[in-house]
Amino acid sequence: MTESTDQATAPSARTTVKRGANRAVYAGEEVKAILDAGTIAHVGVNTPDGPIVLPMAYGRDDDTIFVHGSVANAMLRAGRSVEVCITVTIVDGLVVARTPFHNSMNYRSVVIRGEATAVEPERMLETLKIINDHVVPTWDLARAPSELDVKQTLVLELPLAEASAKVRGEGAIDEDIDMDGPHWAGVVPLTSTWGTPITNEDLRSEIPVPEVLTAMAGTDANPGKAYG
Amino acid sequence: MTESTDQATAPSARTTVKRGANRAVYAGEEVKAILDAGTIAHVGVNTPDGPIVLPMAYGRDDDTIFVHGSVANAMLRAGRSVEVCITVTIVDGLVVARTPFHNSMNYRSVVIRGEATAVEPERMLETLKIINDHVVPTWDLARAPSELDVKQTLVLELPLAEASAKVRGEGAIDEDIDMDGPHWAGVVPLTSTWGTPITNEDLRSEIPVPEVLTAMAGTDANPGKAYG
């Protein structure tokens, strides 16, 4: 592992997973794999009106996560940096135990805390491409953004230094007293799948669907689940 | 509409959707439909160490959302109530525009802010059942929780009074200058589907999979998407 990966292996005290610590995974490679497999992030900041959590597109490059959204503007009202928590969760299945107290979900999640900063204007294009291409690389297929487009945009970056991953990927775990009982136990898997691209009604008729998008149809949007 | 629904129709000033206000929907029925279709919530609170956002199971009853999780304990450390933001997001597709500046996602999301309080012990069983049965009603199929199980549990409740919904469900929206260009535009739909139940390896062999779970196989986990 590289040194930068090791940073993600040794999170700060506040990032330590306190509950269900047996499911905690701090290895940097696991954090990165989950971030790469996820679709959206939920970004939390505190405001004078209390906490707010908003869904945002994101991308990862090496040991940094980038989030994008007009809302980032509001988050930065107070300055050039903001304390955030960026959480990415993939739900992989419903765990049905012999008693509802042990019902659970199989999931992969990453929680990243720290001080997010605004990406400098000269790196804006590069980081927008990283976010755009996180789910599927379409940046180079389209018309490049204008200078004005880029000026209207804000990207926040946050190092993965205080990241922790948590994974549950197994069957139901019940108590000894229930093992001979009449109740079923198991997992109902959940899978997110890309569908067949739907061409815009206003598209010129001779333009074909890009191959990279037709190739997505039927594929798992969050590959790498541990069970099911 | 009932009066309680109207509460969700008239959110507070801080819940007003500021960006993309054209996509904002405040109708209480829309909020409830999205909450009912969602799978997990992302719950944000502020802490002395900054904001934290964690995924949690949830359920809805009338105009109240309930979240459950051992982590709720930590959130309530300071007292019997806590300022939270509960966000539920369903991603319905990837919007690919003629220029990446107009790329987006189709989604349904609800943001609820307010003061969450701990459910009183005498209502604990009832609210745990609501959360358990949110995705699929399995509570009555299983062994009822013991008093000890319930004592170890904490449920937070939050009224939908300050809830807002936001929905995007349409094709790409591009600029006039790009309409005659060579670039494709459209949507790649995303669908989460329940799979065939996987029986626990340690289950007594004569116990069948409950019908309610076999019936889920192949169904949309987040029904009601607006497009695709």
Side-chain angles (χ1 to χ4, degrees):
Chain A
M1 282 200 263
T2 64
E3 192 186 318
S4 51
T5 304
D6 287 335
Q7 288 177 5
T9 315
S12 67
R14 70 174 178 178
T15 313
T16 305
V17 178
K18 291 179 186 69
R19 304 291 314 204
N22 56 320
R23 305 213 187 284
V25 181
Y26 296 113
E29 293 309 315
E30 184 78 33
V31 165
K32 292 178 186 178
I34 294 167
L35 291 178
D36 292 352
T39 308
I40 55 160
H42 280 83
V43 183
V45 295
N46 198 38
T47 77
D49 281 333
I52 181 106
V53 177
L54 295 171
M56 290 193 194
Y58 72 94
R60 182 187 72 81
D61 183 43
D62 200 6
D63 293 312
T64 304
I65 186 170
F66 300 94
V67 294
H68 162 242
S70 335
V71 285
N73 284 304
M75 290 180 173
L76 281 179
R77 256 177 311 205
R80 292 295 291 172
S81 73
V82 59
E83 277 280 329
V84 299
C85 178
I86 302 180
T87 301
V88 172
T89 308
I90 302 165
V91 180
D92 285 332
L94 193 69
V95 180
V96 181
R98 294 159 177 92
T99 172
F101 185 70
H102 291 295
N103 283 353
S104 184
M105 289 190 189
N106 280 338
Y107 60 87
R108 290 166 278 166
S109 74
V110 167
V111 174
I112 316 162
R113 304 179 76 179
E115 193 90 6
T117 50
V119 164
E120 297 300 325
E122 60 269 25
R123 290 177 55 222
M124 192 63 78
L125 262 183
E126 168 198 345
T127 54
L128 284 173
K129 183 177 193 295
I130 288 166
I131 296 169
N132 185 84
D133 289 356
H134 164 64
V135 172
V136 56
T138 58
W139 182 276
D140 290 333
L141 303 177
R143 189 262 291 169
S146 68
E147 269 187 52
L148 182 65
D149 291 345
V150 175
K151 267 190 190 152
Q152 291 177 37
T153 310
L154 197 77
V155 174
L156 291 179
E157 65 178 313
L158 179 66
L160 300 184
E162 292 187 54
S164 66
K166 214 171 157 191
V167 176
R168 190 193 193 286
E170 58 188 331
I173 299 175
D174 277 296
E175 292 167 49
D176 289 346
I177 56 158
D178 289 317
M179 299 306 282
D180 294 325
H183 306 297
W184 187 81
V187 169
V188 186
L190 183 63
T191 308
S192 288
T193 309
W194 297 110
T196 303
I198 303 168
T199 295
N200 248 42
E201 283 184 14
D202 60 9
L203 196 79
R204 292 198 294 115
S205 58
E206 69 271 28
I207 301 175
V209 184
E211 269 179 46
V212 68
L213 300 183
T214 51
M216 285 169 78
T219 64
D220 187 341
N222 309 118
K225 76 169 70 173
Y227 185 92
Chain B
M1 280 199 265
T2 66
E3 193 189 316
S4 52
T5 302
D6 287 336
Q7 288 178 7
T9 314
S12 67
R14 71 175 178 177
T15 314
T16 305
V17 178
K18 290 179 188 71
R19 303 292 313 205
N22 57 319
R23 304 211 187 285
V25 181
Y26 297 115
E29 294 309 315
E30 184 78 33
V31 166
K32 293 177 185 177
I34 294 168
L35 292 179
D36 292 352
T39 308
I40 56 159
H42 280 83
V43 183
V45 295
N46 198 37
T47 77
D49 281 333
I52 180 106
V53 177
L54 294 171
M56 289 193 194
Y58 72 94
R60 181 187 71 82
D61 183 42
D62 201 6
D63 292 312
T64 304
I65 186 169
F66 300 95
V67 294
H68 162 241
S70 336
V71 285
N73 283 304
M75 291 181 174
L76 281 178
R77 254 177 312 205
R80 292 295 290 170
S81 73
V82 60
E83 278 281 328
V84 299
C85 179
I86 302 180
T87 300
V88 173
T89 307
I90 302 165
V91 179
D92 286 332
L94 193 69
V95 180
V96 181
R98 294 160 177 91
T99 171
F101 185 69
H102 292 294
N103 283 353
S104 183
M105 289 191 190
N106 280 338
Y107 60 88
R108 290 166 278 165
S109 74
V110 167
V111 174
I112 315 162
R113 305 178 76 179
E115 192 90 7
T117 51
V119 165
E120 296 300 323
E122 60 270 23
R123 291 175 55 221
M124 192 63 79
L125 263 182
E126 169 199 343
T127 54
L128 284 173
K129 183 178 193 296
I130 288 166
I131 296 169
N132 185 84
D133 289 356
H134 164 64
V135 171
V136 56
T138 57
W139 183 275
D140 290 333
L141 304 177
R143 190 261 290 168
S146 68
E147 270 187 55
L148 182 66
D149 290 345
V150 174
K151 268 190 190 149
Q152 292 177 36
T153 309
L154 197 77
V155 173
L156 290 179
E157 64 177 314
L158 178 67
L160 300 184
E162 292 186 54
S164 66
K166 214 171 159 191
V167 176
R168 189 193 195 285
E170 57 189 332
I173 299 174
D174 277 296
E175 291 167 51
D176 290 345
I177 55 159
D178 289 316
M179 299 306 283
D180 294 326
H183 305 297
W184 187 81
V187 169
V188 186
L190 183 64
T191 307
S192 287
T193 309
W194 297 110
T196 303
I198 302 168
T199 295
N200 247 42
E201 282 185 15
D202 60 9
L203 197 80
R204 292 198 293 116
S205 58
E206 69 271 29
I207 301 174
V209 184
E211 270 179 45
V212 67
L213 300 183
T214 50
M216 286 169 76
T219 65
D220 188 341
N222 308 117
K225 75 169 71 172
Y227 185 93

